[in-house]
Every structure is written in structure tokens, then in C-alpha cells.
Amino acid sequence: MKVLCVAEKPSIARSISAILSGGQFTTRPSANKYIKNFDFNYPQTNSIYTVTSVSGHLTAHDFGDAYRTWNSCDPFVLFDVPIETKISTESKTIEKNLRNEARGADMLMIWTDCDREGEHIGSEIATVCQKAKHNIIVKRARFSAIIAQQIHNAAQHPVELDRAQANAVEARILLDLRIGAAFTRMQTLTLQGRFAQLNEKRDPVSYGPCQFPTLGFVVSRYNQVKSFVPETFWYIFLSLSRSTSSSSAPEETQFTWRRGHLFDFDVTLALYQHVLGDPLARVVKVVQKPTKKWKPLPLTTVELQKSGSRLLKLAPKKLLDVAEKLYQKGFLSYPRTETDQFDPQFDHMSLIRKQKIDPNWGAFATALEQANGFVGPRTGKNNDKAHPPIHPTAHIGNLEGDERRVYEFITRRYLACCSKDAEGWEKNVEVECGGERFSASLTILARNYLDVYIYDKWYGKVIPDFEEGEEFTPTVCELKEGETSSPSYLTEADLVTLMDKNGIGTDATIAQHIQTIVDREYVLERMEGATKYLVPSTLGIGLIEGYNQIGFEKSLSKPQLRRETERSMVQVCEGTKTKQDMLAQSIEQYKDMYIRARGEFNKVITVSSAFGRIDVMR
DNA sequence: GCAAGGTC
């Protein structure tokens, strides 16, 4: 039997071939420069295998000619007019390769990632191959990691394609296109009629079910900052200076008031006077216990973008681009993964060994190899069943600039994962004075993973000995005043976190959505020191606040609608809803909102005009 | 000139 295997991307095709053939395969080029065909025998099922791949989705969706140009129709009809599905121009050579290979095959085995999108890509592959060979048997290989035993098992026990999952994705594709195109054209054409600046630039004023909630987060934080009024508070500050030993200089131990701070001056003053009336502080409790600072979890794409943008000051999109490049050069594992747990069979030692030669972290890697050095990584809660957490696959010493910094971060993170938690000793001293309680708590370090993961800080300070029942005269006892501080604008790391929590976009697209609202000039990047903050432009504020004033039951700029789309997709996958019902219900809902938005768009225009100009403020 | 999701 001749079997044609098709993976979602070239790297997986190569890995599968290496495993199934035991390294004995021949390589043929295809019409596409990224894609190769691998041939070998697979005696376990008495078959001749060819393994190739696509490169993500094969098809593109668009309206027919009659509706593609912007002035050809009322945007409202885009909710209903037919959508054409074509092989995208970039995929033409890939389609050709699939057809050639399918003609000579008895069976098509689909090896796309085991997620909804993978099932949809699989159905695209099946359509192309069945066109080339009508009676080809279509099967699907199920695997959750590129591990020999799993890959062999998948090849020997193929299952059926899950059409329900493919349908759910198809519905989302159609919905996003209809909603995006209809609202984008309506917004753009209406605003261009009112604001000359927009007309000159001809930039679309886009709407999208992911980009608007993303913009909504930025505007919402902006409003919090603008409406913030500082509040004065008061607190009692207590400290003691004493030497830890007879020879050392005195050190100050600061105690924290158990009440934190109060907003009522008179009450605070009364309590303070009570404390002043009692010159002696008594140690009521000393608790000492070991404490830990946990090493980081294995690295996912979202976490790379969050911690990377915070620690390396690189934009999430940039981080992903750099990681992608390093992956293509063979230094990193696949950088788009939701998985924060390594497979129990994962071979860490050979990867750690590769890092021993590094001048900066080689010694740490060497120590991990010794007895008591290595501790298996923590197990997170997420597993996409397709890719392991991001880790270095080879050592490289001559990178420069951002590539070097990203590689270093990922490598240090990985080595930290294979190390031990930092250990400390916590001493909590509780003190009573004039009826008020105060406490001090400090930690002493045993660094472990912190030695390689230089991005985490864990400060500790030796605290003098205190004994229960001991009395002392505080060195300082003061009534102090403070002020609540304004929230800051959103950082990119904050925004990634919010999007991830609210299910806006996926690990691979979150960074793109942020880029989109910047490109559309809805949001400006403002540097303060080394930190980049996101501030909405007048246009961004006008759009969000304008829609808010229309008072939709479900806001176009909040995550709820996207969550509902997600829930509908799950229902289609489970078979509790049909694709047609999902489409019909959503389209109806958005049509109602579209009609109201169009009717009351003067509110968006009014809010935008209120800022005087609709172009961006600098 | 529109979306979001894959991927190179």
C-alpha cells in the first residue's frame, strides 16, 4: 500500500519521517521551496510512505467580484452574500505538490496538529487530494508529541478526521470575515465622509472581533488613569536599629502596621497617641519556617511574550519573530505552543549537556549534570498535545542583538526549569505597642535556580534575633502620611495577560492583534524610561466611547461576544449545535448591532469630534 | 482598502 502523509508544517514532516523510517529516508524537492517530500518503507504496516506537508491553511476566503470593491454594495449585504473559497496564491505550489503525490497513493494520512485548526487544515488537504484521486482512503493520525512510540502508534492506528471540528473553524472563518468586512466598511466610509484627515490617508478604520476588545482594554485603562483622584492616607511607622552581633554596625528593622494605612486622620492620630503612650514594644510572637521561591514553569508562547516584553523590553510581536527565526535556524524548539509541561519521557540531559560549553551559564549546566543537580521541571496546567514547551535545541555562542538576548532568556529559563526552587528561611516577628500590632518578615537565601535565571529577584536581609516576650524601645515611631498612586497605562505585558485571560486571540495571534491596533493608529506607544506604555489615540477613544454611548447590551469592545463565538465553536465540536445554526444565530445578532451602530454612528462621530481632531495626538 | 487563524 502507498501512503501519503501530510503534516501541518515542514518541520513536523521531517520529524515524522526521521522517526518512522529510523533515519533511512530519501528526500525529494517539491514545487514549493520550503516543502520537501520524504520517501521510505514502513514494513510495520507493509507500506511505502511519502511524507510531505502544507504550510498552515491552504485556502483563502473572500467575497465574489460583485462585492469586493468598497463602493459596489451596501456593506450590510456582506452578512449574506456568498463567500468564495479558493486556494490562496501562496499555496498554489503546495496544492500542486499534493495533487501530484495523491495520484500515486492509496491512502492519505493527515498528520496536522491535534487541535481545531489542525482538523480544518486536514479537511482542506483531504479536499485537494480527493480531487486528484477520487477513491483515495482518507485517515488521520493522532499524536500529542513528537515521540517515537506515539508516532509509530499513530501511524499504525489511524482514526477518522473530525469533521465537526473542521466545521466549527469554517463557521468562525466565515463569521469573522462577514462581521469584519461589514463593520470596517461602514466605519471607514462614514468617518471618511466626516473627517478630511481620514479621507486623505485612505487608511481603513477597521473593526474586528479580536482587535476591538483589545483596543477596549487599552481605552478602559486610559479612563481609569484619567479619572483617578489621589487620596491621602496615614499610617504608623515603627522601626528598631540594633546590631546583629557585637562587632557589626546597627541595622534597621522596619515593622509594618497590621492595619496597613487608614484614610481617616483623626482615627489614625488617636491610635498613634495610644502607641506613644506606651514607650515599650513587646515581641509577642516569633515564627521561623523554611520558605521557597518556586522556579518558573516551562515556557509557553504567551509566557514568552509576557515575561519577554517585561524583562527584555521587546514588543510581543518582535519576540515571536525573533523566536521564529531562531527556530528556523535550528536553535530553538517550535515557538508556538500552549504547553507548559514536558512529557515525562522528555530527554533533558542531552539538551542540558549541549549548554555546558557556554561561558555564561555553562558552569550551571555542568552542575545540573552532577548528582543532586537536576530536578524535573514543574508541571503546568496547559497542554496543546502538539508541541512541547519552548526550549533550546542546540548551543549557539555567536548570536548578536535581540537574537542573542531572546536565546539567552529562553536558555536560562529552560535551565532554571531543570534546577531547584530557591530556598529561604522566613522569620516573622510580631510586635505589640500601645495596643497596636506590627510585624517584620524577612528571608535568607539559598539561591539554586536564581543563579541562572537572572531575571527573578528575591531579596532577603539578615534580621536581628528577637525573642518572644522581649521588650524594646522603638528607635522610630512616627505618624506618616502617604498618597494612593495612580494606576499606570497598560504595558504590552499587561495587555497580553488580559487578552490571554479573556480568550481574545490565540498564542500565535495575540501579538498580531496588538500590532494591528497600533498600525491602525488606535493606540500609540509611549516610552517612559525603558518601559513602553500603550495609550489610546483620539480615534481609538472616539470609537470605543462612541460605541459605549450607543449602549449595546453586549459591547462590541468587550470580550463577551468573542467568548460566545468560542462557546458556539465548542458546541459545534461536541455536536450539540450545527454549523448552520451557529452561523445563523451569530449573523442575526451582529446584523441587529450593525443596524443600531449605523443608525447611531453620530455618537461615535460626536465623541471623536469632542477631541477636536480625529487624527492621533502626539 | 475589510477579519482571524494557520504558517515561511
Side-chain angles (χ1 to χ4, degrees), chain A residues 437-450:
Chain A
R437 290 279 178 117
F438 303 84
S439 65
S441 163
L442 289 170
T443 42
I444 300 158
L445 305 181
R447 293 180 55 82
N448 294 334
Y449 89 88
L450 292 167

Side-chain angles (χ1 to χ4, degrees), chain A residues 292-362:
Chain A
K292 276 184 177 183
K293 186 170 175 65
W294 287 9
K295 61 186 181 179
L297 281 168
L299 193 60
T300 63
T301 307
V302 167
E303 183 56 29
L304 168 68
Q305 295 179 69
K306 273 159 61 177
S307 49
S309 75
R310 187 166 50 84
L311 302 169
L312 306 181
K313 314 286 183 198
L314 291 172
K317 178 77 166 60
K318 177 79 184 169
L319 274 158
L320 204 51
D321 290 348
V322 173
E324 177 77 36
K325 232 182 240 166
L326 291 169
Y327 157 69
Q328 280 168 29
K329 290 181 182 172
F331 304 137
L332 286 189
S333 64
Y334 190 64
R336 285 188 285 272
T337 174
E338 292 173 44
T339 307
D340 54 11
Q341 40 189 250
F342 281 98
D343 192 280
Q345 300 171 44
F346 192 89
D347 178 13
H348 292 285
M349 262 2 247
S350 63
L351 288 180
I352 292 170
R353 249 173 243 133
K354 291 180 181 172
Q355 299 295 336
K356 283 164 67 179
I357 53 168
D358 191 275
N360 294 311
W361 54 79

Side-chain angles (χ1 to χ4, degrees), chain A residues 176-221:
Chain A
D176 286 346
L177 177 58
R178 291 189 188 285
I179 297 162
F183 274 88
T184 298
R185 290 189 195 180
M186 186 273 284
Q187 286 185 172
T188 309
L189 296 172
T190 313
L191 284 172
Q192 277 177 352
R194 288 295 300 266
F195 297 96
Q197 303 98 309
L198 288 171
N199 220 346
E200 286 156 19
K201 292 165 80 177
R202 276 179 63 86
D203 286 339
V205 183
S206 63
Y207 174 85
C210 285
Q211 50 180 271
F212 255 52
T214 305
L215 174 58
F217 290 131
V218 178
V219 174
S220 158
R221 177 65 72 86

Side-chain angles (χ1 to χ4, degrees), chain A residues 8-79:
Chain A
E8 188 162 318
K9 45 192 161 267
S11 62
I12 301 279
R14 185 176 288 275
S15 308
I16 292 167
S17 301
I19 290 170
L20 292 179
S21 70
Q24 302 297 305
F25 58 85
T26 54
T27 306
R28 277 182 295 127
S30 80
N32 182 290
K33 65 175 170 176
Y34 299 109
I35 290 169
K36 302 276 183 285
N37 300 319
F38 305 105
D39 302 314
F40 54 90
N41 284 317
Y42 192 59
Q44 286 91 329
T45 58
N46 210 3
S47 308
I48 301 166
Y49 268 50
T50 294
V51 181
T52 187
S53 79
V54 290
S55 182
H57 289 285
L58 276 171
T59 60
H61 298 75
D62 207 351
F63 304 105
D65 289 337
Y67 305 98
R68 207 150 39 229
T69 54
W70 283 43
N71 290 309
S72 62
C73 61
D74 179 346
F76 186 68
V77 305
L78 299 177
F79 284 113

Side-chain angles (χ1 to χ4, degrees), chain A residues 391-508:
Chain A
H391 59 272
T393 49
H395 178 263
I396 171 76
N398 59 356
L399 291 170
E400 288 189 0
D402 292 340
E403 288 195 0
R404 187 187 63 74
R405 296 171 66 222
V406 172
Y407 178 80
E408 174 174 351
F409 171 72
I410 290 170
T411 304
R412 286 183 182 274
R413 171 89 174 210
Y414 173 68
L415 293 174
C417 283
C418 295
S419 172
K420 288 183 204 148
D421 295 337
E423 287 158 24
W425 190 251
E426 187 179 298
K427 178 156 44 173
N428 198 303
V429 179
E430 208 171 298
V431 164
E432 195 228 291
C433 190
E436 293 302 302
R437 290 279 178 117
F438 303 84
S439 65
S441 163
L442 289 170
T443 42
I444 300 158
L445 305 181
R447 293 180 55 82
N448 294 334
Y449 89 88
L450 292 167
D451 282 332
V452 72
Y453 198 62
I454 53 180
Y455 317 96
D456 267 4
K457 302 283 181 263
W458 202 32
Y459 293 112
K461 180 169 137 182
V462 179
I463 185 169
D465 284 331
F466 287 93
E467 277 171 37
E468 280 184 13
E470 178 189 343
E471 294 186 330
F472 62 88
T473 309
T475 317
V476 182
C477 179
E478 283 176 354
L479 179 66
K480 288 198 175 189
E481 187 182 299
E483 208 174 53
T484 54
S485 51
S486 163
S488 57
Y489 292 120
L490 275 187
T491 63
E492 288 176 306
D494 295 336
L495 188 50
V496 170
T497 308
L498 279 169
M499 293 171 73
D500 187 40
K501 266 192 197 146
N502 286 284
I504 302 299
T506 68
D507 53 351

